[in-house]
Amino acid sequence: MKPTVSLTASICLALSLASCGTPPVTSAAESGGTPTLSALALPVAPTFPVPAPQTLPGPATPELTVPVDCRATGTGRDIQVGNPVPASGAGTVQVASLGAVDWNRLGPGDTVRVFWRATPYFEKFTISTGGTAAQPLRVCGVPGPGGALPVISGRGATTRTDLNAGSLSSGIQDLAVISVFNPDYSKRPEHVVIEGLRVQDTLAGAGAARDTLSYTATNGALRRYDPAAACIRVQEGQDITLRGNTLTGCGNGLFVLSRVPEAQMSRDLVIEGNNLYGNGVVNNYYVHNAYVQGVNVLVQFNRFGSNRSGALGGNLKMRTAGDVIRYNAFEPAARILDLVEVQDHAELVIPRRFAALKAQSPDSVTPGDDARVAQAWAAYKATFVYGNFIRNAGAAAATHLIHYSYDNQQDDRRPGTLYFYDNTVVSPVERSTTNFVRLLDGGPWTGNSDLTPMVNASARPEGYALTRVWNNVFVLGGVGVHNPAYWEFARYRADRLALGHNFVSAGWNTDPYWGAPYVFPGLASALVDPAYTYAGANNAPHITGVTALVTAATSPVDVQNGRPINPALLTSEGTPVTLMPELTPTWQIDPQTMTRLVRPTTASMGARE
């Protein structure tokens, strides 16, 4: 049974309901308690304040990070670490090492400036204090010759003995080279900026779990890092900015935790212009290039390179509510984008969980939680991914580019809409690497449910996620690929997509001739247990707008950098993006050099014009 959706309605819903009205959109297979597509409309405004880019157009550093101005501009102290040139003046403090900084007493307007030197700083530290919105606490790197970033290495690193880094029994010291953490669980660091540093080395050798490096803890004991230790770990925090850093050679490159109560939440994070690569643990699925929990997270202008060889984790894994992922370059990993349910802070996102928290643990409720949960729940229903260049190639190529669903708790799965637009995806993958490459994995569609019956509309009125896909370029196979992997837009027939105008290489719907269930080539095939999904989910792929796809035998873009080769095709078939300004693709990147450019229009398909 094929979906009965008009192309016009599909494109209207993928763009601006204000200009198209709200036509009823449903499909014959989507009856039986599942919300109609018209119930999942584009928000009229962002679900959280999306900060404007703080960088300017221009080239990246030699480390492919955004340049950072490390001048001390705050009203606090100018603490200079390793400056070879003597300096004096009001508020100026010069020290030779990171351990000579009194990290416990930093405050608003203080700037810790780490100067490049030929040898790394083999030291680790914790930021337990913070600043204000107007006067953040900053730790930044002053680059050296050729723009080289100062290096902070966890290899044999020492720790200041009075550092407010928590007891050894808490394990936090084992988990990071740089941590943002206050051991007083009634407080959290706020208004902190870490930028312009190269942070590395919690694992040596091949990067297996047994290859952890050692460091000296606050009590002088020699200890080993946890295999999952991060280059930078945010244990909790609000208004935390990580900009222009290189993170490599660790378990997790970046790790952000968020927990209940509010004082242990991570909120309002900006992850901008960093270069993360060579992280992960060999033969381990649970450690990633970046793992982020929290509420209201902006990820932009970053390069997410490949994990270390043999690591099985994802590239960017997020358990977040309110996420915008834009203008990044992604290399392959087990999953390139793994966007799953909130976990340790679900009670402060999902109203049903919050009601249980109030009833069972009222001491964990903080004044203002009701309003914060309302905002987080609205934000949880919309994820925006645009202007990214995704290259899925080589032996580590992913089978599923995006996972948008859950992986532990079915009831808490992402319930709203993933908006995927103006991205360029290049996937020259041989079938010997993986039989299929799929844009979306909306599964698993299995149990782990507290609700009975779990799947009907009354039990889950928030419904199941929808992915809206328009103005993208999907280049499949290509020169040198002799037997390209089969393509599917989704993994499961139950996964729900609304397609607008997209370019996809000719042959995208090649039939593998494998018989059932592979009878909808290019769309979706896998079946699920009907006990754990909505009625009719297995009847046919729940994908609309297929007739809007634009195909050609040759790529309209340079597969190395995304630059248009056939701009006339991309522009004539593209649909101008009519979203609110905060979510309109006004920037673009060169994924090879990470140069940042202003995008002249929004009328062309793909991440570059």
Side-chain angles (χ1 to χ4, degrees), residues 405-447:
S405 176
Y406 84 101
D407 58 12
N408 288 319
Q409 179 52 257
Q410 166 86 282
D411 299 334
D412 298 339
R413 68 187 300 146
R414 293 196 180 225
T417 305
L418 166 61
Y419 299 91
F420 188 84
Y421 54 100
D422 288 83
N423 302 284
T424 295
V425 177
V426 175
S427 187
V429 180
E430 292 278 2
R431 205 173 302 162
S432 58
T433 299
T434 177
N435 279 320
F436 284 90
V437 172
R438 301 179 176 100
L439 174 63
L440 177 70
D441 176 2
W445 294 85
T446 54

Side-chain angles (χ1 to χ4, degrees), residues 48 256-258 265-269 271 291-299 316-325 338-346 349-350 376-384 404-405 412-415:
F48 71 100
V256 181
L257 187 63
S258 187
M265 287 283 288
S266 291
R267 293 183 180 274
D268 306 323
L269 308 174
I271 302 167
Y291 176 93
V292 181
Q293 296 193 51
V295 174
N296 303 344
V297 182
L298 173 62
V299 182
L316 174 59
K317 181 162 187 170
M318 299 181 71
R319 298 185 182 275
T320 47
D323 28 32
V324 173
I325 303 166
D338 197 0
L339 311 175
V340 290
E341 85 278 22
V342 290
Q343 191 171 54
D344 294 301
H345 60 299
V349 173
I350 301 172
W377 178 238
Y380 196 39
K381 298 179 183 180
T383 296
F384 299 89
Y404 192 76
S405 176
D412 298 339
R413 68 187 300 146
R414 293 196 180 225

Side-chain angles (χ1 to χ4, degrees), residues 56 256 261 272 275 311 332 334 418 450 479 516 543 566:
L56 297 173
V256 181
E272 180 177 86
N275 185 7
L418 166 61
D450 298 332
V479 177
I543 299 176
N566 187 348

Side-chain angles (χ1 to χ4, degrees), residues 103-104 124-129 159-176 179-185 189 215-220 223 235-236 259:
W103 298 95
N104 301 343
K124 62 200 299 286
F125 61 86
T126 295
I127 299 173
S128 59
T129 58
T159 313
R160 183 180 170 114
T161 57
D162 67 347
L163 188 69
N164 193 19
S167 65
L168 292 175
S169 62
S170 71
I172 300 300
Q173 292 192 46
D174 298 342
L175 291 174
S179 56
V180 179
F181 166 61
N182 192 319
D184 182 342
Y185 285 104
Y215 73 95
T216 302
T218 51
N219 67 349
R223 294 178 63 90
Q235 186 74 4
E236 72 274 323
R259 298 183 295 179

Side-chain angles (χ1 to χ4, degrees), residues 69-112:
D69 183 351
C70 194
R71 289 177 294 180
T73 57
T75 58
R77 294 168 294 170
D78 175 10
I79 302 171
Q80 302 177 7
V81 181
N83 186 358
V85 178
S88 60
T92 300
V93 179
Q94 289 194 312
V95 296
S97 66
L98 295 171
V101 177
D102 191 349
W103 298 95
N104 301 343
R105 292 178 173 79
L106 297 177
D110 284 344
T111 303
V112 178

